[in-house]
Amino acid sequence: MTTHPTPALISHYASGGVGVDDATIWAVEAHLETCADCRGLLADAVDPGTRELLDRVAGAVAAGIAGGPGPVRRRRLPRTGVAARMLPWLATAAGLMLAAVLFEKTFASLPSLVLLVAPVAPLLPVAAVWSRRVDPAWELAATTPRTGLPLLMRRTLGVLVAVLPVLAVAGWGTGHSPGLWLLPALGFTAGALALGTVVGIDRAALILALTWSAGVVAPSLVGGRLPAVLAGGSPTGWTLATVLLLAVVLVQARWRSQLPTSTFR
């Protein structure tokens, strides 16, 4: 409504809108929100009984406020969001890499435990940031169709920002090429996201970690040499695998964005 409603229209509105269509009622209400003069006319148009009732209610509310207790200052509670709750998992990943460095320094004749552990080091915190047992807002995120991929990517990026420096220090301290620990770590992270669209992120991380441990780590330590997937020519394969797995994640997320629940469970 671009003009002021007539006094007669305001009077009809004050009496309950009898004989006035809904569209006009909505227009009058929208106008009253921004026009003090018309609100004054509305107050004058209200019948004496209603005005008396409103005055009594206003008086009772004012008396209750005046005689009631003062506002209580709220205590600042400690943060319990995802970022705070994932700190133990990040500390576990960092401790795992520290143990790998110490093991490699102590048993120099064995295959590099740093290279063997680095691919799966980010999996534990990645699983933690998308777990219903860690996320206090899990139900809200899981039931919002388009929340899944952007939120998961932001949280995964946060995990990598925290974990990759630890891997860098471990790789530098043991003299390994960055491509031999960085690309496998990114590849396994992308694999967890891709498999997570099917079985859930936490289950995907567990499956990949157990498979890598049983199929690569244990045989390498028993056999006394690194596998071909961690040799000098492996970074190219890890790069291609990472790109392919990220493409799978994007395709799956786009397809499942039409579903009534989140893509990542």
Side-chain angles (χ1 to χ4, degrees), residues 142-264:
T143 55
T144 304
R146 295 189 179 273
T147 296
L149 182 61
L151 182 59
L152 181 65
M153 287 300 186
R154 289 196 298 271
R155 291 183 178 181
T156 302
L157 179 60
V159 168
L160 292 177
V161 168
V163 172
L164 290 184
V166 177
L167 297 182
V169 172
W172 173 78
T174 50
H176 296 298
S177 170
L180 294 179
W181 56 261
L182 174 61
L183 293 174
L186 295 179
F188 265 81
T189 301
L193 300 185
L195 185 59
T197 63
V198 180
V199 300
I201 298 296
D202 49 354
R203 294 189 185 93
L206 179 61
I207 291 172
L208 292 177
L210 291 178
T211 301
W212 178 259
S213 299
V216 176
V217 176
S220 297
L221 294 177
V222 172
R225 61 193 181 109
L226 287 173
V229 292
L230 294 176
S234 62
T236 301
W238 285 108
T239 301
L240 294 176
T242 301
V243 173
L244 178 61
L245 290 169
L246 287 177
V248 171
V249 173
L250 294 175
V251 171
Q252 286 276 35
R254 183 175 181 181
W255 174 64
R256 297 193 178 211
S257 64
Q258 305 300 323
L259 299 179
T261 57
S262 177
T263 300
F264 303 95

Side-chain angles (χ1 to χ4, degrees), residues 11-33:
S11 179
H12 283 297
Y13 176 80
S15 63
V18 179
V20 183
D21 60 276
D22 292 340
T24 301
I25 293 293
W26 295 336
V28 171
E29 290 178 346
H31 179 81
L32 289 172
E33 291 178 357

